[in-house]
Amino acid sequence: MDAHPTRLWGLAEANNVPNAQGSTATINSYGFRGAPPEVPKPSGRYRILTTGDSSFYGFGVGDTEVYTHSLGVSLKAAG
């Protein structure tokens, strides 16, 4: 965890952070799990932000097993 000016604390940027049950997590420079988003946002691309507890974070699973990754794969497949 790192000090954060508006949220009190946040996740520190890191790769291969030990998670649970042998899994690891990637924390991007924005303090969110996964790869950082493209900045600026490409034209025509939608973004969805999910918030939640350890269920959304994916406690105990790898980066490609979290709900948000699965949601992204499903939405891209649907066009």
Side-chain angles (χ1 to χ4, degrees):
M1 302 289 183
D2 277 345
H4 191 276
T6 61
R7 295 181 298 201
L8 185 59
W9 59 268
L11 297 170
E13 181 178 9
N15 290 318
N16 298 317
V17 175
N19 193 355
Q21 300 177 11
S23 67
T24 59
T26 301
I27 309 302
N28 65 39
S29 59
Y30 295 99
F32 296 109
R33 186 156 180 186
E38 288 183 57
V39 177
K41 181 181 76 66
S43 178
R45 179 173 293 169
Y46 292 97
R47 290 189 175 161
I48 298 172
L49 175 69
T50 59
T51 59
D53 57 9
S54 59
S55 296
F56 273 80
Y57 174 80
F59 187 71
V61 299
D63 289 341
T64 60
E65 299 172 293
V66 296
Y67 168 76
T68 50
H69 183 270
S70 296
L71 176 63
V73 169
S74 295
L75 291 172
K76 287 177 185 173

